[in-house]
Amino acid sequence: MPKTLTKLEIYTTSLFSLILSGTADLFLDAKFNLYHYFHEGIQLIDYIAMIGIYPAINIIFLNLYPQKKNYKIKIFYFIIRSLFATIYEYTAKETSFFSHHGWKIWYSALIYPILFFILLLNLKFVRKLK
């Protein structure tokens, strides 16, 4: 994988992704019981899964982002990454790694591009701070 991120960018964007996802999971899982990892309620294994998944997705997404390409390629990249994330979530649901209650997979399909855009904005913000 190309190394387009500095160690500081990896660290800060990974922390941001953990805070963002942790906050979302706190409300959507713990408060509203729309989905959960493994078993209902917050458990240590959920936290371990979160630490393993979210920073990795963040780093891969940002490292491979086609920064110097035109907008059509960038939009295509968002679509492909969002499609992959949706398929991953569907697979996780089918293997009982992840369970939906009131949540629908198409909600995720609509939200993933927004989340990826937020990750990209955060990286731009971190770079401005440097």
Side-chain angles (χ1 to χ4, degrees):
M1 177 172 22
K3 305 284 190 230
T4 60
L5 302 175
T6 66
K7 290 178 183 176
L8 179 64
E9 290 169 347
I10 290 171
Y11 180 74
T12 56
T13 58
S14 293
L15 283 177
F16 177 80
S17 72
L18 283 169
I19 291 168
L20 182 63
S21 62
T23 302
D25 288 348
L26 182 67
F27 284 97
L28 298 176
D29 177 5
K31 179 147 180 74
F32 298 113
N33 196 32
L34 294 175
Y35 61 77
H36 65 266
Y37 298 95
F38 302 107
H39 308 287
E40 290 189 37
I42 299 171
Q43 300 182 23
L44 179 61
I45 191 72
D46 301 339
Y47 184 71
I48 292 169
M50 192 173 78
I51 288 176
I53 293 170
Y54 294 125
I57 291 170
N58 171 62
I59 292 166
I60 292 168
F61 173 78
L62 293 173
N63 255 321
L64 297 177
Y65 180 73
Q67 293 179 29
K68 297 182 187 335
K69 301 292 182 178
N70 66 38
Y71 283 101
K72 288 180 184 177
I73 292 174
K74 291 176 180 180
I75 290 169
F76 181 71
Y77 183 74
F78 270 84
I79 292 168
I80 292 299
R81 286 291 169 189
S82 299
L83 182 61
F84 176 79
T86 304
I87 292 169
Y88 176 84
E89 182 176 325
Y90 176 78
T91 304
K93 182 178 165 266
E94 292 300 309
T95 59
S96 299
F97 176 78
F98 194 71
S99 295
H100 291 163
H101 297 289
W103 193 258
K104 307 289 183 213
I105 194 78
W106 66 269
Y107 298 168
S108 296
L110 294 174
I111 289 173
Y112 283 130
I114 297 166
L115 292 175
F116 286 133
F117 186 69
I118 291 170
L119 288 176
L120 187 59
L121 288 177
N122 181 65
L123 175 62
K124 289 182 181 196
F125 178 69
V126 168
R127 287 180 173 166
K128 276 191 175 192
L129 289 177
K130 285 188 352 185

